[in-house]
């Protein structure tokens, strides 16, 4: 089945064509980062307006890149939530309308299910069941995954998401938006061991996370070490490293617990923060010790993209699920409420 995927939940317009027989045929992402960078965060109204400008031209381009015609498309998948409601409605309206015009089924996809299934697009996909660590700008969740739509959330962040903490620390360190990749880059110059930041909620049982206290710890450290001209370059890098290390260690401790708790040996990591190299290295080393296996997608499929939506939608369409005619999008949407597919 040939499926067009449309992702517009936040500040990236992601379009892809996925074929259940041949795999990913074309995939393109237009990032709005330059528009939002000047404000230090995503401005929802500007995001919606830019999706309106970019979505249709990008669909035309991706269909051409895939070497197909629009009339070849057999199903349309669009992100229906969670995300910014105006941005979601752009993708949902265009996706639903194209499907109606082409007379093919359409399906609204849960954004985090898209992330969760992105490693399935790699050459050696994981097999169910597995534990998934979802770490994006809006979510931090540990999920036991039995199959598509068979999700049990084991733990989640009680406050900031991991990516959000990276972005806020990036701002404190005067790095461009979004901070995550910039903090990671700066951390590479940091000296290990100069600072040690707390690993929140790891000394009590449970699989929930909290990153807001860590953020405050970073702020206090910055204030303490700032001279008149701010932080010196090495101290900035040392703080970035200590912060990244604290987040990575915290995530790793909870992942180990989740694997012990479920008795499973496969861990997948997904969402923007799963592109983080330090996180991958630490988890890989930990899993090797217990004969487990780590799975992740290539970096371009970790952050928001249309390919993950096309893939997830394709699985649901193949199982016979379709969206009714009304165009709906949900800014908040519980992952566990999704229907299972056999
Ligand atoms: O999944 P995503 O693209 O969008 C959401 O669904 O939120 O995740 C974006 C988040 C941002 O917070 C960004 O700073 C973070 O992922 N991120 C990273 C890295 N690359 C992206 N965080 C840490 N290290 C990275 N290399
Ligand atoms: Zn995302």
């Amino acid at each position: 089945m040939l499926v067009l995927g449309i992702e517009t939940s936040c500040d990236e317009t992601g379009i892809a064509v996925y074929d259940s027989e041949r795999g990913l045929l074309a995939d393109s992402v237009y990032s709005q980062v330059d528009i939002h960078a000047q404000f230090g965060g995503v401005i929802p109204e500007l995001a919606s307006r830019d999706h309106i400008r970019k979505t249709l031209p990008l669909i035309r381009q991706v269909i051409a890149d895939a070497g197909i015609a629009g009339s070849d498309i057999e199903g349309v998948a669009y992100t229906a939530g969670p995300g910014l409601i105006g941005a979601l409605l752009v993708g949902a309206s265009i996706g639903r309308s194209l499907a109606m015009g082409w007379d093919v089924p359409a399906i609204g996809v849960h954004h985090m299910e898209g992330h969760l299934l992105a490693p399935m697009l790699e050459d050696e996909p994981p097999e169910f069941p597995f534990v998934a660590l979802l770490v994006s700008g809006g979510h931090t969740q540990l999920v036991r995954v039995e199959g598509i739509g068979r999700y049990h959330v084991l733990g989640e962040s009680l406050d900031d998401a991991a990516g959000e903490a990276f972005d806020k620390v990036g701002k404190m360190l005067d790095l461009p938006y979004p901070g995550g990749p910039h903090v990671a880059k700066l951390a590479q110059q940091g000296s290990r061991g100069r600072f040690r930041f707390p690993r929140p909620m790891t000394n009590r049982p449970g699989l929930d996370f909290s990153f807001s206290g860590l953020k405050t710890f970073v702020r206090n450290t910055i204030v303490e070490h700032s001279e008149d001209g701010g932080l010196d370059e090495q101290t900035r890098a040392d703080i970035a490293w200590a912060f990244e290390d604290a987040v990575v260690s915290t995530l790793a401790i909870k992942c180990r617990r989740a694997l012990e708790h479920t008795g499973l040996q496969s861990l997948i990591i997904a969402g923007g923060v799963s592109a983080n190299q330090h996180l991958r290295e630490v988890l890989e080393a930990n899993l090797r010790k217990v004969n487990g296996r780590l799975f992740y997608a290539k970096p371009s499929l970790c952050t928001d993209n249309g390919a993950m939506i096309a893939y997830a939608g394709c699985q649901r369409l193949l199982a016979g699920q379709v969206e009714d005619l009304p165009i709906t999008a949900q800014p908040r949407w519980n992952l566990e409420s999704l229907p299972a597919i056999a």
Side-chain angles (χ1 to χ4, degrees):
M1 183 181 226
L2 200 53
V3 175
L4 174 72
I6 304 173
E7 155 62 36
T8 63
S9 68
C10 191
D11 58 346
E12 259 112 24
T13 313
I15 307 293
V17 173
Y18 174 80
D19 181 16
S20 51
E21 304 288 313
R22 292 180 289 164
L24 195 57
L25 299 188
D27 171 30
S28 188
V29 173
Y30 166 78
S31 171
Q32 302 178 350
V33 65
D34 292 344
I35 295 174
H36 303 292
Q38 54 185 308
F39 304 103
V42 179
I43 308 294
E45 181 59 25
L46 296 183
S48 313
R49 292 183 198 187
D50 210 47
H51 285 306
I52 290 173
R53 279 191 286 269
K54 293 296 181 331
T55 306
L56 273 174
L58 203 55
I59 289 174
R60 274 189 208 105
Q61 180 209 307
V62 167
I63 285 178
D65 291 349
I68 58 165
S71 52
D72 295 329
I73 299 279
E74 294 167 296
V76 179
Y78 54 86
T79 306
L84 304 171
I85 187 66
L88 289 166
L89 279 170
V90 176
S93 313
I94 292 176
R96 196 71 200 74
S97 309
L98 283 174
M100 201 187 294
W102 287 328
D103 196 22
V104 296
I107 184 94
V109 173
H110 191 293
H111 181 77
M112 297 313 292
E113 176 172 77
H115 277 305
L116 196 158
L117 297 177
M120 297 292 187
L121 288 161
E122 296 300 320
D123 289 341
E124 287 185 51
E127 281 175 22
F128 300 115
F130 51 74
V131 170
L133 172 70
L134 305 181
V135 270
S136 69
H139 291 79
T140 303
Q141 291 183 313
L142 270 165
V143 187
R144 182 192 172 110
V145 180
E146 303 285 344
I148 297 180
R150 294 168 66 202
Y151 307 130
H152 176 61
V153 176
L154 302 166
E156 56 194 328
S157 180
L158 305 177
D159 41 56
D160 293 355
E164 190 180 354
F166 265 99
D167 295 342
K168 287 179 178 168
V169 166
K171 237 184 209 179
M172 291 179 209
L173 293 172
D174 294 325
L175 293 166
Y177 175 84
H182 297 284
V183 171
K185 192 156 176 249
L186 182 60
Q188 285 172 1
Q189 318 300 322
S191 38
R192 302 167 182 221
R194 176 168 171 207
F195 298 107
R196 193 179 190 281
F197 293 168
R199 277 70 172 141
M201 292 182 72
T202 51
N203 53 8
R204 57 174 118 149
L207 294 168
D208 286 334
F209 303 89
S210 164
F211 290 110
S212 86
L214 176 60
K215 190 183 62 192
T216 309
F217 200 92
V218 175
R219 181 174 292 117
N220 292 342
T221 309
I222 292 174
V223 169
E224 206 180 305
H225 289 82
S226 290
E227 307 282 332
D228 288 347
L231 290 174
D232 67 74
E233 260 322 290
Q234 190 57 50
T235 304
R236 274 176 90 225
D238 295 347
I239 290 175
W241 191 85
F243 165 75
E244 182 185 60
D245 192 49
V247 173
V248 166
S249 299
T250 305
L251 294 173
I253 291 167
K254 301 281 166 146
C255 284
R256 193 189 63 218
R257 259 186 221 170
L259 291 170
E260 281 167 7
H261 171 79
T262 56
L264 296 173
Q265 283 192 305
S266 300
L267 176 71
I268 73 118
I269 53 172
V273 182
S274 71
N276 186 278
Q277 197 54 33
H278 187 31
L279 176 67
R280 291 176 173 204
E281 283 164 14
V282 169
L283 289 176
E284 214 130 48
N286 286 359
L287 278 146
R288 221 174 292 130
K289 283 186 219 151
V290 295
N291 284 327
R293 226 181 128 186
L294 181 68
F295 296 87
Y296 43 74
K298 58 170 158 297
S300 62
L301 297 183
C302 289
T303 45
D304 290 349
N305 64 84
M308 66 184 195
I309 302 303
Y311 177 83
C314 182
Q315 306 313 308
R316 290 192 171 277
L317 289 169
L318 284 172
Q321 289 178 18
V322 283
E323 211 67 51
D324 289 338
L325 275 184
I327 295 166
T328 51
Q330 307 187 52
R332 287 171 179 276
W333 191 0
N334 180 357
L335 187 67
E336 287 174 317
S337 69
L338 297 182
I341 68 176

